[in-house]
Amino acid sequence: MEMADSPAATAASTAPSLVKVADKALEDMPHWPWHCVVDAVKQCQSLFPLAESTGVFDKVVGALLAQMAIPAPGDATPTSSSPESSAFRFSCDTKCSSLSLRRTWWFEDLVVLSPGMVERVAKALLARGADHGIVARFLFYYLKCRIAGAGAEDKAAMLEAAITVIADLDRSSVSCKGLFGILRIASPVKLAAGCQEMLVAMIGRKLDHATLDNLLVQAPSGTSSLYDVSLVLRFLEAFLRHGDEPGRLKKVGELMDLYLAEVAPDPSLRPARFVELATALPAAARDCHDALYRAIDVYFQVHGRLTDDEKMKICKGINYEKLSPECCKHLATNSGFPTRAAVQALASQHTVLKGIIRHSGTLKPASPPPPPAAHRESYDDADGDSNGQVVLYASRLELTLENQNLKSLLDSMHWRVMELEKVCSRMKTQMTKMKASRRGGGAAAARSLPRMCS
């Protein structure tokens, strides 16, 4: 005789599996109310790494993404979700259209997450195809809301989380201004070396979008310099690894000329550092070296104790052939520059003018003689073509006069070079005599060195 199943056994056989119930709940998560999904994210935060290993976190992120795609009731948006609304003035390149604003309504609910959780959620959203610009705006909003009043360690954790995610975003998702905003906040905070390098590399890649104010970063405490020149050199190094386009290179060249003019008056800026700045960019970055010359001139005026050898090392950054005639003339009479630099400048201009004249001579035919008097009446009576011939003759005559002026200027500069060479020779001879008199112990009368010819 078979025994009947007990009521407990019957209940157990008909009860739903707990695992199946849990799976069903997770599958239905995209349809949960938004606040329930946010609560699930917060609970995952305290259950890591278990939530990740069991796949729960992945399903929570999927539910987040599904909910984010749905505009909030009434298109409500956090009133301060725009990065520009804060004193931090974080910014990114995404356009603040009405559509993008409707997609940022969730920012305020997720800023309560820990830095580690924000990094995980942001990376998971990117892996699922979330818009890079929206993720970038959320990170800036997160920093804006949480960084004020946080301790040094918390600030470092937030910044490192944001930098790590931003490094994976499209370049167009974050502006150069936004990156410098992070840099300003990170300056007094000790970040991990890897995060520092990531931030420098990201700024370096966008250096052609930077402004002079962006580069004027205060030097670290404990140093006598006004600005952090070493940091700018690191930016340049990162830029040159990617910035081989002529247009971008010239923009950075103009920016560096402005920066050099700004840091040149700093009495604590060492010559070696200034040389690095002046020579960091390749020749193609500057079409004209006038701004570089003016910055070096200011540096020489402020640092009056530099030797001629130190000055010549700095002058190596100047391509004298790219100086305008006005700057070259100023350099030749500038007592702050070594004589060798003046000679090199004039010699280079000599070469440039000679090349111009040679080039113009090959292009311009000899001027035809004026028409004989007997034929002048026929010229007066000619049709419209004769007017064109007269204009052509006049233009050729003008070009001939221009050649004569250039030759005259060339002769004058050639004479100037010869005079400077004579001065250098006399100085060298007199220095030799003075050294010889010292060795012999004689008390030769002191004689002044010859003055530069004017």
Side-chain angles (χ1 to χ4, degrees):
M1 184 176 175
E2 295 182 0
M3 294 182 63
D5 292 337
S6 65
T10 303
S13 62
T14 59
S17 169
L18 186 59
V19 174
K20 290 181 179 180
V21 171
D23 286 339
K24 183 68 170 62
L26 292 174
E27 292 297 332
D28 291 339
M29 192 178 291
H31 306 291
W32 289 8
W34 169 253
H35 68 89
C36 293
V37 178
V38 173
D39 287 340
V41 175
K42 294 176 182 176
Q43 290 179 40
C44 286
Q45 183 173 254
S46 59
L47 293 174
F48 256 82
L50 180 62
E52 188 173 39
S53 61
T54 57
V56 173
F57 176 69
D58 188 56
K59 292 186 180 296
V60 170
V61 171
L64 273 178
L65 195 58
Q67 294 274 3
M68 289 172 185
I70 304 172
D75 288 337
T77 65
T79 56
S80 57
S81 63
S82 173
E84 285 76 15
S85 65
S86 167
F88 288 106
R89 295 294 176 190
F90 287 128
S91 69
C92 47
D93 288 337
T94 53
K95 301 297 182 183
C96 296
S97 65
S98 58
L99 177 61
S100 67
L101 285 174
R102 285 197 296 270
R103 295 167 64 188
T104 61
W105 57 267
W106 49 270
F107 283 8
E108 216 164 292
D109 293 318
L110 297 188
V111 294
V112 297
L113 300 178
S114 68
M117 196 61 181
V118 164
E119 180 182 342
R120 292 186 185 97
V121 169
K123 286 188 172 183
L125 291 174
L126 292 173
R128 286 175 170 266
D131 183 90
H132 285 218
I134 296 297
V135 172
R137 292 185 63 199
F138 167 65
L139 293 171
F140 283 114
Y141 182 75
Y142 176 77
L143 290 177
K144 184 199 74 171
C145 293
R146 295 289 302 276
I147 210 79
E153 291 185 7
D154 290 336
K155 280 184 180 179
M158 294 174 196
L159 290 166
E160 288 170 3
I163 292 169
T164 302
V165 177
I166 289 172
D168 294 333
L169 300 178
D170 294 335
R171 283 181 58 189
S172 61
S173 302
V174 184
S175 70
C176 192
K177 178 183 175 183
L179 292 173
F180 274 105
I182 292 178
L183 178 69
R184 281 194 297 273
I185 295 177
S187 294
V189 180
K190 188 173 182 180
L191 297 180
C195 281
Q196 288 180 351
E197 288 304 317
M198 278 193 283
L199 183 57
V200 168
M202 287 189 289
I203 292 176
R205 284 196 295 269
K206 299 177 78 72
L207 194 59
D208 53 315
H209 295 285
T211 64
L212 176 60
D213 287 340
N214 293 149
L215 296 185
L216 297 179
V217 180
Q218 188 176 358
S221 58
T223 58
S224 55
S225 297
L226 294 175
Y227 302 112
D228 196 344
V229 174
S230 299
L231 182 62
V232 173
L233 287 169
R234 290 166 65 194
F235 292 155
L236 284 171
E237 196 177 327
F239 170 78
L240 292 173
R241 288 198 290 266
H242 307 277
D244 53 352
E245 299 172 18
R248 297 182 64 209
L249 197 58
K250 291 185 189 302
K251 283 184 179 179
V252 174
E254 293 174 4
L255 178 63
M256 288 311 301
D257 285 343
L258 294 174
Y259 185 73
L260 282 163
E262 193 69 29
V263 300
D266 181 1
S268 301
L269 181 59
R270 293 185 291 109
R273 272 284 182 260
F274 192 81
V275 170
E276 286 184 79
L277 282 174
T279 60
L281 292 173
R286 294 182 177 94
D287 291 328
C288 178
H289 278 219
D290 286 8
L292 179 59
Y293 162 71
R294 287 191 286 269
I296 292 176
D297 186 25
V298 171
Y299 187 79
F300 286 171
Q301 292 176 32
V302 174
H303 300 77
R305 296 184 179 181
L306 293 176
T307 65
D308 277 3
D309 287 340
E310 288 175 321
K311 290 182 177 181
M312 286 304 297
K313 287 179 182 178
I314 295 174
C315 288
K316 285 181 180 179
I318 301 177
N319 183 339
Y320 299 106
E321 293 183 1
K322 290 187 176 182
L323 287 177
S324 65
E326 292 78 15
C327 275
C328 189
K329 182 179 178 181
H330 186 273
L331 192 158
T333 58
N334 191 340
S335 60
F337 276 70
T339 305
R340 283 176 289 171
V343 172
Q344 289 178 11
L346 291 173
S348 67
Q349 290 293 306
H350 178 106
T351 304
V352 170
L353 288 172
K354 193 172 181 180
I356 292 173
I357 292 174
R358 186 186 300 113
H359 180 67
S360 61
T362 60
L363 295 178
K364 299 168 186 171
S367 302
H375 297 285
R376 283 178 185 167
E377 291 183 3
S378 62
Y379 271 84
D380 294 336
D381 298 335
D383 56 9
D385 290 341
S386 64
N387 292 332
Q389 291 176 0
V390 172
V391 172
L392 177 63
Y393 170 74
S395 63
R396 286 176 176 172
L397 181 61
E398 185 178 347
L399 289 173
T400 303
L401 292 173
E402 183 183 348
N403 275 353
Q404 290 176 354
N405 291 335
L406 285 172
K407 287 179 180 177
S408 175
L409 180 59
L410 178 62
D411 291 339
S412 174
M413 297 194 74
H414 181 66
W415 174 83
R416 175 67 174 163
V417 170
M418 292 176 62
E419 286 294 315
L420 285 170
E421 288 175 345
K422 289 178 183 178
V423 170
C424 291
S425 177
R426 290 200 298 269
M427 290 175 67
K428 186 176 180 181
T429 302
Q430 194 160 352
M431 291 292 289
T432 304
K433 290 179 180 179
M434 291 173 66
K435 290 178 180 178
S437 65
R438 287 197 188 100
R439 291 195 204 98
R447 297 175 58 188
S448 61
L449 293 176
R451 294 180 61 187
M452 291 284 290
C453 52
S454 58

